[in-house]
Amino acid sequence: MNNNHNKKDKILEAAIQVFAQHGYERGTVSEIANAAGIAKGSFYHYFSSKEEIIYDLFDLFFEQFIMNWEQIIDKNISPVRKIKLLIDQTFEDLIQMQKEKDLTKMILIFEIMFLLFRKSLKDKSENNIEQLFLRYYDILVPLFKEGQEKGIFRSDIDPEYAAYLIFGMIDGFSLHFIIQKDNYDIKESKKYLIDLILNGLVNK
Amino acid sequence: MNNNHNKKDKILEAAIQVFAQHGYERGTVSEIANAAGIAKGSFYHYFSSKEEIIYDLFDLFFEQFIMNWEQIIDKNISPVRKIKLLIDQTFEDLIQMQKEKDLTKMILIFEIMFLLFRKSLKDKSENNIEQLFLRYYDILVPLFKEGQEKGIFRSDIDPEYAAYLIFGMIDGFSLHFIIQKDNYDIKESKKYLIDLILNGLVNK
Amino acid sequence: MNNNHNKKDKILEAAIQVFAQHGYERGTVSEIANAAGIAKGSFYHYFSSKEEIIYDLFDLFFEQFIMNWEQIIDKNISPVRKIKLLIDQTFEDLIQMQKEKDLTKMILIFEIMFLLFRKSLKDKSENNIEQLFLRYYDILVPLFKEGQEKGIFRSDIDPEYAAYLIFGMIDGFSLHFIIQKDNYDIKESKKYLIDLILNGLVNK
Amino acid sequence: MNNNHNKKDKILEAAIQVFAQHGYERGTVSEIANAAGIAKGSFYHYFSSKEEIIYDLFDLFFEQFIMNWEQIIDKNISPVRKIKLLIDQTFEDLIQMQKEKDLTKMILIFEIMFLLFRKSLKDKSENNIEQLFLRYYDILVPLFKEGQEKGIFRSDIDPEYAAYLIFGMIDGFSLHFIIQKDNYDIKESKKYLIDLILNGLVNK
DNA sequence: GATGAATGAGGCTTCATTCAT
DNA sequence: CATGAATGAAGCCTCATTCAT
């Protein structure tokens, strides 16, 4: 049973390698099985189809990310400090992925996101992305409200929109960070991102 | 030749429809030819391969976007006003795409971006995405410098990083806007994005 | 051993269900094992291969049918009465199968027949079908001869051919009966079949 | 276009050979393509799937058979003579198939019949077999009625049942004839079948 | 005996691309 | 230029069978 779990993880690991390198469509079950050290047919003992694997990958990736955020939010620190930590954590995750492998893995994460999103549009099936985002908003909305109540954050911004924008800007910028990772310094990028989100461009 | 050009455009148009619906890998040359009203074989009179088409699509999409930004930058208005207009324009483009077709087309744009990016990593070939981003920075760096010189923008931010971050946040947020487009109001989203980028979250 | 036997019967029972529904080729060992409540691997403790099972099924089906006929033939009644009873019995068997399950089981019987017949042609191996038919003829030839000797049946028909034809018409008609079972009444069908075989179409 | 038709026929011809030898499930598209002298992929220019081919085969086989019957029925001859000719024709068809190839082809015909029948049961889709049988009844019912009106055939048999039984016995016996073809003489078989259907077993 | 994970051959199908007409 | 039949490599998946536990 434990072994069983290990094997499934091994396949997922292999799938990440393969999909990261070639993309989901171009990555083949054969190659995954090969990378996982199993026979092609054995793949189907653990996943009912090639497609199914992306759902597991989705969970694998994002569950970790969001858990990291959720842990931060429970801490007893100021809202501003929390935002700093959330962004810190985001960069930590990015850097972590960089170490393990190359950029392609990060791209895979976005590819999976689009894959699932397109699928949900087509089948009008459950939209995993939207569900995921909601969990992020559930973190950010209370955080922003708390900041407003304490007079730290501006009160002229709707908390729902604030959460939507903050998460959008952080997550969205991550994408550019990945693409540009060799051209800009990580620490500087992070420092400026925090600063901009908190204080904006304009001179006061 | 004019006819020739028209036909090529027709194929590109068809390719957008097809790829938007099924994604690049799943969209077939047959289907594109069909949608373009030509024979499958004729496709290869205009494009040497299926892959080639994505380069044309890349240009088709982004050339328009960046041209719109470049026009704004030449105007004789204040830097803050320019940033507002740039964001305005971005949302205008998003809305425009929404009208023409559905979200899938926007996703296609991101898909193409990743496709080319992964390709450049693999082949160590020319990175079209990086090239594109540079053009955006060429717009934003002078803009920010101008604002700093006039004392409008904060002087404690490196202009290169400012450009990188501003573009990252705007473009990155667009992605979230697309995914969430039914849940948030366009005008509000735009207003808050401008406000946040200029003034940040913190109460002054 | 008794237990052993029970398990084997259970598997055969399960195989009938599975093959009846999907046909022999499409029915899988997995599904059979599942339906029999055993593990896939256990199947091979009782049958050396998937193919072997059809020999057992063949016996299972036809042994019953022919035994029923053989019992009739030993009775001390007139040849005409015997023919009536044979046809009665045939319909009884058909009805019985109908009750147990649906038509698909009857089709399975024919499928097995063809499977074995084709196999015997290919391998020039023992032709189980021919062997089976011979047993039927062994019943019918003496029966018809007896009728001829008693002056009941026409003497201008070769007994070998008579047996061949009678069995062919009864068994062959069964097939049409199965296919048409919803469109014609069982009792009427049986009554007319007996009548036609005995008296023919022509007005005397 | 003519060429097109030839090619499709060639594939059908090849499919018959292959399916006759191995059965439908065991016969592969590869082998068919091979036998037809085309590439595997080309098969799918003419048939959208392996399954589709059996519908064409069904038509190919039975259309010929029933047309032969329909031609007989239009002749201006006595009902008894017509029945003789119908049975003659049936044997002619059987013999014809025997000549072209071996028995396996005839078995294929029955296999297709069962395939389609099982399919219709499963999907509750159109029952091609039932449709086909109706066409046979449309021939036999009027024929039998005509015989009754002329006082040739017995009037105590319902024409619907007569048609059902006559066709069932003729067609059903064919199956036994195929299986037994080496053990019994064709002419004798045919002669006795006609005689039995017309006059029955009983001595008058 | 019982299990079910593992295997790998092989099947059906797709599709980018070519080429003769 | 236009066509679409032809190709064949390659992909996903199935499944009978084996074997270590």
Side-chain angles (χ1 to χ4, degrees), chain A:
Chain A
M1 194 185 299
N2 197 353
N3 190 1
N4 192 317
H5 205 73
N6 285 336
K7 192 80 70 89
K8 191 163 185 174
D9 286 349
K10 221 176 196 171
I11 295 175
L12 282 172
E13 206 63 49
I16 292 172
Q17 306 296 334
V18 171
F19 290 155
Q21 193 163 24
H22 305 114
Y24 170 71
E25 297 287 355
R26 288 269 172 94
T28 71
V29 172
S30 263
E31 205 176 348
I32 292 170
N34 219 45
I38 59 168
K40 199 180 3 171
S42 302
F43 175 89
Y44 291 92
H45 275 278
Y46 298 93
F47 299 93
S48 64
S49 71
K50 181 187 174 185
E51 191 189 330
E52 203 205 301
I53 214 169
I54 68 177
Y55 290 97
D56 275 44
L57 287 183
F58 179 80
D59 290 342
L60 186 67
F61 286 135
F62 292 108
E63 201 54 43
Q64 190 56 50
F65 296 156
I66 200 147
M67 263 174 48
N68 290 340
W69 272 41
E70 284 168 342
Q71 277 168 7
I72 288 166
I73 223 60
D74 292 335
K75 293 185 176 173
N76 190 17
I77 51 178
S78 83
V80 165
R81 181 98 193 99
K82 279 184 183 171
I83 285 192
K84 283 179 182 169
L85 284 181
L86 293 177
I87 293 178
D88 263 355
Q89 183 60 52
T90 302
F91 274 77
E92 215 50 57
D93 292 339
L94 293 172
I95 292 163
Q96 188 53 37
M97 277 191 299
Q98 259 188 67
K99 276 187 197 149
E100 291 176 23
K101 185 79 193 177
D102 63 337
L103 304 195
T104 53
K105 184 171 166 184
M106 308 189 199
I107 297 179
L108 173 57
I109 294 178
F110 281 94
E111 191 186 357
I112 287 175
M113 222 176 82
F114 288 124
L115 228 50
L116 292 182
F117 188 62
R118 175 128 53 196
K119 211 175 140 45
S120 78
L121 284 178
K122 235 183 187 170
D123 315 0
K124 305 204 178 293
S125 60
E126 193 202 2
N127 187 332
N128 306 55
I129 310 300
E130 218 164 9
Q131 295 299 317
L132 177 73
F133 280 18
L134 285 178
R135 289 177 65 189
Y136 278 103
Y137 300 153
D138 281 347
I139 289 172
L140 290 169
V141 169
L143 167 59
F144 189 73
K145 278 184 179 166
E146 182 195 347
Q148 283 183 317
E149 282 159 14
K150 290 184 175 168
I152 301 168
F153 292 147
R154 298 163 51 188
S155 55
D156 58 345
I157 302 181
D158 178 274
E160 301 284 342
Y161 276 89
Y164 166 44
L165 277 152
I166 294 167
F167 179 52
M169 290 195 298
I170 294 173
D171 184 61
F173 176 72
S174 298
L175 180 55
H176 282 243
F177 171 74
I178 290 167
I179 292 173
Q180 294 291 347
K181 74 146 183 134
D182 290 332
N183 303 329
Y184 295 88
D185 180 72
I186 292 175
K187 279 193 180 161
E188 292 288 294
S189 301
K190 187 171 65 176
K191 186 193 74 182
Y192 281 129
L193 179 61
I194 293 170
D195 191 2
L196 265 185
I197 285 183
L198 292 176
N199 303 311
L201 289 172
V202 173
N203 207 0
K204 298 291 151 58

Side-chain angles (χ1 to χ4, degrees), chain B residues 88-103:
Chain B
D88 262 355
Q89 183 60 51
T90 302
F91 275 76
E92 215 49 59
D93 292 340
L94 293 173
I95 292 163
Q96 188 53 37
M97 278 191 297
Q98 257 188 67
K99 276 185 198 153
E100 290 175 26
K101 186 80 192 170
D102 61 339
L103 304 195

